């Protein structure tokens, strides 16, 4: 399977990976390229006053999205990853080095973001430690879940390990869309010719 073919036909997409890897930025670029509606798990879970909704309310909101025909879901939330993998057809796993993720979080401090209901002005130590521990404590379970979904359901998993690979993935997505449009146009032209000659 070539890169362009591997990205064709996406309708239900997960974007996951360590905080700071650039999931939300990549998800927005993917939304802009494909026109698929984008939902941030952080926005489903957090309230503007830094409280959270109940687990039941979060699950209900998520389920409504999962049952839609097309979406991009950005975020980890490990408890619900198995459920999301039952619905998706494509996953982008941003498997970046820890230092890159730490720099990513530090670089967005003080910035207003559409994926969070407040502005984060500090990089607290608990969150920093979560990122440092992510490769040992979170990544293995995530990889196991992705491998299972790929083997059992045929979910297409694209593991990206650098900013350059993110850029290339978006370029390949756009190429796939152009190929799809060209094929649709060719099919339409062939149909018109076929009906024209059949009527003569």
């Amino acid at each position: 399977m070539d890169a362009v073919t591997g990205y064709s036909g996406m309708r239900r997409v997960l974007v996951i990976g360590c905080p700071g890897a650039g999931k939300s930025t990549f998800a927005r670029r993917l939304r802009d390229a494909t026109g698929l509606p984008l939902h941030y798990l952080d926005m489903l879970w957090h309230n503007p006053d830094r409280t959270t909704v109940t687990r039941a309310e979060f699950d209900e909101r998520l389920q409504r999205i999962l049952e839609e025909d097309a979406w991009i879901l950005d975020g980890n939330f490990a408890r619900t990853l198995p459920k999301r993998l039952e619905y998706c057809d494509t996953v982008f796993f941003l498997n970046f080095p820890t230092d890159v993720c730490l720099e990513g979080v530090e670089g967005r401090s003080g910035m207003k973001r559409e994926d969070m209901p407040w502005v984060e002005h500090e990089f607290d130590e608990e969150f920093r430690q979560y990122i440092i521990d992510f490769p040992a404590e979170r990544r293995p379970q995530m990889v196991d879940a992705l491998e299972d979904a790929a083997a059992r359901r045929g979910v297409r998993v694209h593991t990206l390990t650098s900013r350059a690979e993110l850029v290339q993935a978006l370029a390949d997505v756009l190429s796939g869309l152009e190929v799809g449009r060209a094929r649709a146009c060719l099919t339409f032209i062939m149909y018109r010719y076929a009906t024209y000659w059949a009527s003569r």
Side-chain angles (χ1 to χ4, degrees):
M1 179 186 298
D2 62 35
V4 171
T5 303
Y7 295 122
S8 64
M10 296 186 306
R11 298 293 294 167
R12 292 172 164 183
V13 183
L14 302 184
V15 180
I16 62 175
C18 184
K23 297 187 302 296
S24 299
T25 300
F26 178 76
R28 284 191 288 275
R29 301 292 182 269
L30 199 61
R31 172 198 61 194
D32 295 344
T34 63
L36 297 174
L38 170 59
H39 305 276
Y40 301 107
L41 295 184
D42 277 331
M43 294 296 284
L44 299 184
W45 176 243
H46 294 290
N47 293 315
D49 63 359
R50 297 182 181 251
T51 61
T52 65
V53 301
T54 65
R55 179 175 289 193
E57 185 175 356
F58 175 84
D59 289 350
E60 182 180 347
R61 291 178 177 182
L62 176 60
Q63 188 63 40
R64 285 200 298 266
I65 295 169
L66 291 175
E67 292 175 0
E68 294 175 0
D69 292 333
W71 37 257
I72 300 169
L73 277 170
D74 161 59
N76 292 328
F77 287 72
R79 180 181 65 85
T80 65
L81 181 58
K83 175 182 283 291
R84 283 177 280 140
L85 287 171
E86 289 298 319
Y87 285 83
C88 74
D89 55 58
T90 306
V91 179
F92 289 93
F93 175 33
L94 277 59
N95 188 18
F96 281 23
T98 300
D99 60 332
V100 173
C101 297
L102 290 170
E103 290 172 4
V105 173
E106 290 169 349
R108 71 192 187 194
S109 180
M111 296 174 57
K112 182 174 176 56
R113 298 154 46 199
E114 68 177 72
D115 55 292
M116 284 292 287
W118 63 75
V119 176
E120 295 176 318
H121 293 285
E122 296 180 355
F123 188 3
D124 67 78
E125 286 305 312
E126 182 179 355
F127 190 34
R128 182 186 298 274
Q129 193 60 49
Y130 176 91
I131 294 172
I132 292 171
D133 294 338
F134 189 91
E137 296 186 359
R138 303 286 178 172
R139 185 184 294 161
Q141 294 90 341
M142 190 173 286
V143 170
D144 287 346
L146 294 177
E147 290 178 349
D148 176 71
R152 188 169 48 82
R153 293 192 56 247
V155 173
R156 291 171 292 184
V157 179
H158 304 286
T159 301
L160 308 175
T161 61
S162 68
R163 303 293 186 207
E165 289 185 7
L166 292 186
V167 173
Q168 186 60 54
L170 287 170
D172 289 340
V173 167
L174 287 169
S175 296
L177 292 173
E178 292 303 320
V179 168
R181 293 188 187 107
R183 286 174 178 166
C185 183
L186 180 59
T187 299
F188 177 73
I189 292 170
M190 291 174 66
Y191 169 77
R192 291 296 299 271
Y193 269 106
T195 54
Y196 172 77
W197 288 110
S199 65
R200 291 182 63 83

